[in-house]
């Protein structure tokens, strides 16, 4: 079985892939102080709760937080007796290399999303990922990541608003009943929700105009289903896109990597 690990700035997700489906998906907060032993205790306890006895043979990691990669590598080596693939490292091959400015580093999450989206939908895509940052990834006809856009994440914007304006409270991200709020919370929820609907629509429209080809828009990330209710923003929602991309990259390396 394959253990897929996606480490983001806020959460780290573990999914077990048996070759045909994900048996379970586990989520924890991202903390660079967490040791390999702590990861294993957490992982084995929850997997046991699901009634699964997985035999992990391979591990693949995508991490936007470099400081946690070392302990995740130790986890793979110590407890699963395998050397993990780490997306973005030279020994981890990509189905199609990115085409960006020389010397530019591309976030592993964006490479993984591009690989997963291309495998499911073909090329000429915009992948909108609602994470700590809201990212827009442009996937070319041959599956290469060719650039994109990075905007502040929804929760990050709410936190900044609360921190900078002491009178404004914390609020949940939800679709308001009307655009015009009649209280502080409703005003903030409307600004965030409809503001990001407008942001996604405008950026995707400008990408399409600049790309000058028909493009499919894929939404992913925890808040994608919520924002899909606000307007016809996405052609489809892929809740497991990152994990699927990790299985695609792992399979490619199994077939084309060193023997």
């Amino acid at each position: 079985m394959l253990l897929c690990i996606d480490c983001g700035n806020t959460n780290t997700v573990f999914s077990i892939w048996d070759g045909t489906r994900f048996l379970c998906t586990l989520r924890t907060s991202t903390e660079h102080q967490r040791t390999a032993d702590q990861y294993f205790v957490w992982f084995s306890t929850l997997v046991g709760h699901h009634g699964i006895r997985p035999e992990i043979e391979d591990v693949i990691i995508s991490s936007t937080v470099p400081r946690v990669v070392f302990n995740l590598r130790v986890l793979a080596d110590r407890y699963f007796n395998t050397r993990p693939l780490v997306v973005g490292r030279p020994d981890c091959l990509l189905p199609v290399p990115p085409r960006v400015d020389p010397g530019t580093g591309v976030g592993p999450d964006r490479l993984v999303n591009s690989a997963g989206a291309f495998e499911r939908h073909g090329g000429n895509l915009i992948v909108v990922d609602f994470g700590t940052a809201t990212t827009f990834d442009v996937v070319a006809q041959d599956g290469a990541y060719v650039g994109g856009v990075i905007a502040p994440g929804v929760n990050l914007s709410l936190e900044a608003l609360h921190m900078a304006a002491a009178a404004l409270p914390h609020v949940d991200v939800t679709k308001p009943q009307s655009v015009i709020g009649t209280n502080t919370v409703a005003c903030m929820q409307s600004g965030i929700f409809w503001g990001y609907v407008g942001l996604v629509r405008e950026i995707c429209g400008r990408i399409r105009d600049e790309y000058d080809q028909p493009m499919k828009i894929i939404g992913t990330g925890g808040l994608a289903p919520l924002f899909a209710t606000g307007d016809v923003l996405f052609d489809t929602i892929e809740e497991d896109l990152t994990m699927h991309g990790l299985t695609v990259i792992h399979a490619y390396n199994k077939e084309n990597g060193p023997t």
Side-chain angles (χ1 to χ4, degrees):
M1 294 184 186
L2 171 66
L3 175 60
C4 300
I5 303 175
D6 172 37
C7 178
N9 290 292
T10 304
N11 293 314
T12 299
V13 182
F14 287 59
S15 287
I16 301 171
W17 174 254
D18 71 355
T20 57
R21 65 188 181 97
F22 289 108
L23 300 181
C24 72
T25 296
L26 311 172
R27 186 180 301 269
T28 186
S29 59
T30 298
E31 298 176 7
H32 69 268
Q33 304 97 330
R34 187 169 294 169
T35 66
D37 300 333
Q38 289 173 319
Y39 275 118
F40 182 72
V41 170
W42 168 82
F43 174 76
S44 57
T45 300
L46 288 184
V47 166
H49 178 74
H50 281 269
I52 301 171
R53 298 176 62 89
E55 295 184 6
I56 304 298
E57 298 170 331
D58 295 296
V59 177
I60 183 168
I61 300 167
S62 168
S63 176
T64 59
V65 187
R67 296 176 69 184
V68 306
V69 173
F70 174 78
N71 284 325
L72 292 174
R73 292 177 73 110
V74 173
L75 170 72
D77 177 66
R78 180 179 298 167
Y79 290 103
F80 305 123
N81 194 31
T82 184
R83 182 171 182 243
L85 275 173
V86 180
V87 179
R89 298 291 175 88
D91 60 341
C92 182
L93 306 177
L94 298 173
V96 185
R99 292 194 293 273
V100 293
D101 293 341
T104 300
V106 180
D109 54 331
R110 310 184 81 176
L111 298 173
V112 171
N113 283 348
S114 296
F118 178 72
E119 198 277 335
R120 282 182 170 170
H121 302 285
N124 296 332
L125 306 174
I126 304 170
V127 180
V128 184
D129 188 353
F130 291 89
T132 304
T134 301
T135 59
F136 299 74
D137 303 328
V138 179
V139 184
Q141 187 171 7
D142 64 350
Y145 169 86
V146 294
V149 176
I150 301 175
V154 177
N155 287 309
L156 191 63
S157 294
L158 274 174
E159 185 66 23
L161 191 60
H162 170 72
M163 293 293 291
L168 297 181
H170 284 287
V171 299
D172 294 328
V173 183
T174 188
K175 181 181 179 181
Q177 294 183 348
S178 61
V179 176
I180 301 173
T182 55
N183 56 68
T184 301
V185 170
C187 289
M188 293 175 67
Q189 289 175 333
S190 182
I192 287 293
F193 183 84
W194 292 112
Y196 271 85
V197 167
L199 180 144
V200 171
R201 186 194 300 116
E202 180 69 13
I203 289 179
C204 287
R206 288 181 176 272
I207 290 173
R208 279 174 158 166
D209 291 344
E210 190 171 296
Y211 199 74
D212 199 26
Q213 289 191 46
M215 304 182 79
K216 183 179 288 188
I217 302 175
I218 313 298
T220 191
L223 291 174
L226 171 65
F227 282 95
T229 66
D231 209 334
V232 185
L233 295 177
F234 310 114
D235 293 289
T236 188
I237 300 291
E238 296 280 3
E239 296 186 19
D240 66 342
L241 183 62
T242 302
M243 288 300 166
H244 177 66
L246 285 171
T247 69
V248 170
I249 292 174
H250 176 263
Y252 183 81
N253 279 266
K254 276 292 189 182
E255 185 176 342
N256 299 279
T259 57

